[in-house]
């Protein structure tokens, strides 16, 4: 008998509580995936492709799929937090500076 792993049932919807630390880890992961392409044109194409509603029918590279997965998860976390007034507005530069550490 082979090894087994647990997986959600097809009709499962699971609620997960996320704290700020884990949320920031997800944002840093998204930034890491994003930074794998240093070419500005490729970065623009990546964002356009994964945010296009019609792109679900197009094949994605592993990088595109990873980026889109984390992006969608963050968007859902932020949407749920907004519903319960658990968000703050901050300047993008302030957030970026706190997330990026020199290599």
């Amino acid at each position: 008998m082979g090894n087994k792993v647990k997986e959600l049932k097809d009709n499962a919807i699971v609620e997960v509580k996320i704290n700020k630390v884990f949320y920031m880890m997800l944002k840093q992961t998204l930034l890491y995936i994003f930074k794998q392409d240093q070419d500005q044109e490729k970065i623009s194409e990546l964002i356009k492709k994964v945010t296009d509603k019609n792109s679900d029918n197009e094949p994605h590279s592993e990088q595109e799929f990873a980026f889109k997965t984390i992006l969608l998860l963050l968007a859902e976390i932020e949407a749920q937090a907004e519903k319960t007034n658990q968000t703050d507005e901050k300047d993008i530069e302030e957030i970026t500076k706190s997330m990026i550490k020199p290599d």
Side-chain angles (χ1 to χ4, degrees):
M1 188 184 246
N3 296 331
K4 295 188 178 201
V5 295
K6 292 196 183 252
E7 187 177 277
L8 295 179
K9 294 180 180 180
D10 290 344
N11 60 350
I13 297 176
V14 179
E15 291 185 33
V16 178
K17 294 183 185 243
I18 304 289
N19 66 12
K20 176 79 179 247
V21 173
F22 187 74
Y23 170 76
M24 293 307 294
M25 289 169 60
L26 286 170
K27 284 196 118 166
Q28 288 176 323
T29 302
L30 185 68
L31 184 61
Y32 173 78
I33 295 167
F34 182 76
K35 286 175 32 179
Q36 296 309 298
D37 259 323
Q38 297 298 323
D39 181 348
Q40 189 61 43
E41 188 174 316
K42 287 184 180 179
I43 289 171
S44 297
E45 288 175 20
L46 171 65
I47 293 170
K48 187 181 281 187
K49 183 172 183 181
V50 300
T51 57
D52 182 3
K53 291 182 181 183
N54 297 322
S55 73
D56 289 340
N57 299 325
E58 296 177 24
H60 291 299
S61 69
E62 288 179 343
Q63 181 190 18
E64 292 167 347
F65 186 76
F67 184 83
K68 185 171 187 169
T69 300
I70 301 295
L71 185 68
L72 290 172
L73 180 58
L74 285 167
E76 181 60 23
I77 291 168
E78 291 167 358
Q80 294 302 318
E82 184 74 28
K83 286 180 184 178
T84 56
N85 196 28
Q86 296 187 70
T87 59
D88 287 325
E89 284 193 22
K90 292 186 177 179
D91 186 72
I92 292 175
E93 287 184 23
E94 177 187 341
I95 294 170
T96 306
K97 285 179 186 175
S98 69
M99 289 176 56
I100 299 174
K101 296 179 183 169
D103 290 334

